[in-house]
Amino acid sequence: MDAATLTYDTLRFEYEDFPETKEPVWILGRKYSVFTEKEEILLDVTSRLWFTYRKNFPAIGGTGPTSDTGWGCMLRCGQMIFAQALVCRHLGRDWRWIKGKRQMANYFNVLNAFIDKKDSYYSIHQIAQMGVGEGKSIGQWYGPNTVAQVLKKLAAFDTWSSLAVHIAMDNTVVMEEIREELIYLDPHTTQPAVEPNDSGCLPDESFHCQHPPCRMNIAELDPSIAVGFFCNTEEDFNNWCQQIRKLSLVRGALPMFELVEHQPSHFSNPDVLNLTPDSSDADRLERFFDSEDEDFEILSL
């Protein structure tokens, strides 16, 4: 009897348009109305960098995989979080991608940081190989905590962006305070790897989702998640802290996470840049690079 394997790539989805609702639609902190701003919603979504499975890229490590189909989804999600931070850092939140329109050099500098080759700062190659030092084999699935820790390490080499990455551990997302439906970009589709053409230009259309985005009910959200915040200045960070403190004062509401001035004494204090997977670090590695990644993690940029 013949057997078939069902994957995302073998499915054909009908992308639904946004439902007509009086409720606002929020895209990364921007509020929209479906009735009067549908085109603006779609343009905002299309302008986000979309990273999916790729195939036929140079072998990772020279002899490793040439595709991340089936194992690279969390790595691609981590790339999308970081890419949004870099877009805000170098292009601004109001920047928009329009098909066929010439983009500024900084846009391609951001995009090139994620291209599937070994010398790109945040490529699948760099993430997978950095993960080896954290006990993850190339081709092994990552949880959100592991990919967050690896991306933090890689950011140290990106002097152009100069990101200070902080990862807050052991926090909880209060699901009842989030809207019933979420909009998301799905990495579970395989596209050919992209290389610059003979003139040095990088074809970029496959890095932007040009159909209505996917939607899901909040109840379907996997509890193993990472949430990212980008603060461009110290003032942005102070305002963010102020908003978080205001939310913590709402009667009957549980804070999404806790803000403290200094590290509590009961917290371990490993230097994740110097962690090595030897026996003396076993307990610390289990906490910071566990294989299951079942805890909630908040990734802040």
Side-chain angles (χ1 to χ4, degrees):
M1 180 177 67
D2 292 336
T5 301
L6 184 64
T7 67
Y8 282 87
D9 284 334
T10 60
L11 299 176
R12 291 295 179 265
F13 295 102
E14 293 294 332
Y15 296 102
E16 298 180 359
D17 203 351
F18 280 100
E20 294 188 355
T21 174
K22 295 180 180 179
E23 295 295 325
V25 174
W26 289 89
I27 306 292
L28 297 174
R30 293 294 172 87
K31 182 179 179 180
Y32 296 98
S33 167
V34 171
F35 293 106
T36 61
E37 299 175 297
K38 182 179 291 188
E39 292 302 318
E40 288 84 351
I41 294 173
L42 294 175
L43 181 58
D44 198 343
V45 172
T46 300
S47 298
R48 300 313 108 212
L49 285 173
W50 180 40
F51 297 119
T52 70
Y53 293 146
R54 296 276 176 171
K55 60 183 179 181
N56 301 324
F57 50 66
I60 297 176
T63 59
T66 59
S67 173
D68 63 314
T69 300
W71 60 270
C73 52
M74 191 65 72
L75 284 68
R76 298 300 186 180
C77 289
Q79 285 182 322
M80 283 190 270
I81 287 181
F82 249 65
Q84 177 60 18
L86 265 60
V87 165
C88 290
R89 172 77 173 84
H90 298 293
L91 303 174
R93 180 62 181 87
D94 294 328
W95 170 83
R96 295 293 181 266
W97 180 86
I98 298 175
K99 184 177 180 180
K101 181 181 178 180
R102 185 178 181 84
Q103 294 293 336
M104 62 186 73
N106 274 357
Y107 162 73
F108 288 103
N109 290 338
V110 170
L111 186 55
N112 274 305
F114 298 90
I115 297 301
D116 300 319
K117 56 184 181 180
K118 64 179 182 179
D119 55 348
S120 295
Y121 288 126
Y122 308 108
S123 66
I124 195 82
H125 298 65
Q126 292 282 8
I127 299 173
Q129 291 187 292
M130 183 66 78
V132 172
E134 311 308 337
K136 294 289 187 179
S137 302
I138 294 176
Q140 184 177 358
W141 184 85
Y142 285 24
N145 179 39
T146 302
V147 74
Q149 299 286 357
V150 168
L151 285 168
K152 176 178 180 177
K153 290 186 175 184
L154 293 176
F157 300 96
D158 181 6
T159 55
W160 177 60
S161 298
S162 298
L163 291 179
V165 181
H166 171 69
I167 301 173
M169 304 293 294
D170 300 331
N171 299 285
T172 303
V173 175
V174 184
M175 295 178 61
E176 67 180 2
E177 296 180 7
I178 303 177
R179 290 185 48 75
E180 292 183 358
E181 194 169 66
L182 301 176
I183 298 169
Y184 67 98
L185 297 179
D186 196 331
H188 297 94
T189 187
T190 304
Q191 303 185 83
V194 174
E195 293 281 349
N197 57 29
D198 293 339
S199 62
C201 295
L202 184 68
D204 65 335
E205 291 186 12
S206 66
F207 293 101
H208 296 274
C209 182
Q210 299 178 61
H211 52 68
C214 300
R215 306 196 311 274
M216 67 183 297
N217 189 280
I218 184 65
E220 299 173 6
L221 180 66
D222 191 313
S224 183
I225 63 173
V227 179
F229 301 91
F230 174 74
C231 299
N232 195 39
T233 65
E234 184 175 358
E235 182 181 2
D236 288 345
F237 176 71
N238 291 336
N239 289 338
W240 178 83
C241 291
Q242 184 178 12
Q243 294 301 318
I244 294 300
R245 291 190 176 101
K246 285 182 179 179
L247 290 175
S248 67
L249 297 176
V250 177
R251 177 173 295 183
L254 295 175
M256 193 174 190
F257 46 89
E258 183 181 7
L259 294 177
V260 294
E261 292 291 338
H262 306 286
Q263 180 169 286
S265 58
H266 64 276
F267 275 23
S268 59
N269 186 28
D271 180 353
V272 295
L273 289 177
N274 295 322
L275 273 178
T276 54
D278 57 32
S279 58
S280 63
D281 287 323
D283 292 340
R284 297 190 305 178
L285 284 170
E286 183 177 358
R287 171 173 171 76
F288 283 88
F289 302 103
D290 60 311
S291 60
E292 296 297 330
D293 282 279
E294 291 180 346
D295 293 336
F296 291 102
E297 311 298 347
I298 307 298
L299 170 63
S300 53
L301 301 174

